Amino acid sequence: MASEPASPRVKSLPEFAMSSGTMIFRTNLNCGNCVAKVRPHLEQLQGLRDWKVMTEAPEKWLWVDVDNVTPRQIADKVAAAGFKILDPIPDDKPAPPTPVPAAAEEPKTSYTPLFLIVGYLLLAVGLLEVSFGGFEWSRAMTHFMAGFFLVFSFFKMLNVRAFADSYAMYDLLAARSRPYALAYPFIELGLGIAYLSPVNPMIVNSVTLVLMLLGTAGVMNSLLNRRKIKCACLGTVFNLPMSSVTLIEDLGMAVMAGVMLVVGSH
């Protein structure tokens, strides 16, 4: 009985000329942990504009958008993380031979879900203030932040692993710590509960300020590098683009936490 041919190793990949545009490779990157391990190696590559691993596909496609990069350079970075590119697809054939099922395709990019959620939160906070008989800024901000973290953590928890994969694409700490990326939805849940409880507000606002500033730094880094990636603020349920809207969201929460820290200290 003839033995099955072994998958080609990285060192046996043919040399291709410098390429610009899209290239897709079949890999053995099976899960989010694999993606997290290869990230620091792949993102050292000069000329890499964007990349994604389709771990949900049987072929585990590695999709890259590059400028003057060879397949061998990409393969070497993947190999440095302990993984393999099983067969390169030249850039003159950018689409994989087996199309990704329609169910796996991402929805259209839209900010509508984010604006609707923020609008509903503002409406709920406004109605609460009316029920109290007068408007108080510190109370309103506390309730808004509680609702924000509770709602946003809910969407992240619908698929924690997928959220962690997406979040690690741009968050500075999540890119280096898989446990942190997985724990982040639960941290947000804890903050939401804390804002509605008698927990020391100085501690709660300090934690929020640090987290939001970390998030702001990651978003700003992605925007400055013009990376076209998806924002994970609502998990992976909605396809929200990474843009200045995400920056304003994180920075706004950081400002509110900072204001409440200042007000609470007086």
Side-chain angles (χ1 to χ4, degrees):
M1 180 182 295
S3 60
E4 294 182 2
S7 299
R9 296 183 178 275
V10 170
K11 64 182 181 180
S12 67
L13 291 175
E15 292 282 3
F16 293 101
M18 285 288 184
S19 303
S20 297
T22 298
M23 290 188 285
I24 303 178
F25 305 89
R26 188 168 61 92
T27 73
N28 63 347
L29 297 166
N30 294 312
C31 63
N33 283 329
C34 304
V35 177
K37 290 177 182 178
V38 81
R39 181 184 314 283
H41 297 278
L42 197 57
E43 294 192 348
Q44 292 174 357
L45 193 61
Q46 295 295 321
L48 180 70
R49 291 189 293 240
D50 196 9
W51 68 282
K52 178 179 179 181
V53 181
M54 304 176 196
T55 55
E56 70 278 4
E59 298 84 357
K60 313 302 177 186
W61 300 113
L62 167 62
W63 175 93
V64 293
D65 183 30
V66 297
D67 184 26
N68 290 329
V69 175
T70 67
R72 179 176 291 279
Q73 289 175 306
I74 296 169
D76 288 344
K77 294 298 183 183
V78 173
F83 300 97
K84 298 178 183 178
I85 283 181
L86 302 178
D87 51 1
I89 300 177
D91 58 344
D92 60 343
K93 296 180 180 178
T98 304
V100 178
E105 294 178 356
E106 294 182 341
K108 292 182 178 179
T109 297
S110 174
Y111 289 113
T112 301
L114 179 61
F115 292 146
L116 282 174
I117 289 171
V118 172
Y120 270 79
L121 286 175
L122 290 173
L123 176 62
V125 169
L127 292 174
L128 272 175
E129 290 304 303
V130 170
S131 71
F132 284 120
F135 190 87
E136 183 181 314
W137 276 106
S138 60
R139 183 176 58 204
M141 285 193 292
T142 297
H143 287 152
F144 178 84
M145 295 175 83
F148 178 94
F149 285 124
L150 290 173
V151 172
F152 279 57
S153 67
F154 165 78
F155 284 104
K156 292 178 177 70
M157 287 189 186
L158 292 176
N159 193 334
V160 175
R161 292 185 179 277
F163 159 76
D165 291 342
S166 183
Y167 194 45
M169 292 289 290
Y170 61 90
D171 185 81
L172 301 180
L173 184 54
R176 292 164 175 78
S177 173
R178 178 70 174 176
Y180 172 75
L182 291 170
Y184 191 82
F186 301 95
I187 295 174
E188 283 197 338
L189 175 61
L191 287 172
I193 294 172
Y195 273 109
L196 295 176
S197 69
V199 176
N200 189 321
M202 295 291 288
I203 296 175
V204 177
N205 285 307
S206 296
V207 172
T208 299
L209 180 60
V210 171
L211 286 178
M212 293 299 102
L213 288 178
L214 274 173
T216 299
V219 172
M220 189 174 296
N221 180 63
S222 295
L223 293 178
L224 290 175
N225 290 320
R226 299 181 180 180
R227 298 181 60 202
K228 297 178 181 179
I229 55 179
K230 184 168 68 173
C231 174
C233 57
L234 287 176
T236 56
V237 177
F238 303 107
N239 191 8
L240 301 176
M242 177 68 66
S243 72
S244 56
V245 173
T246 310
L247 182 63
I248 292 171
E249 172 201 324
D250 285 351
L251 195 56
M253 293 296 289
V255 168
M256 281 196 288
V259 169
M260 293 174 71
L261 272 174
V262 173
V263 171
S265 63
H266 289 80

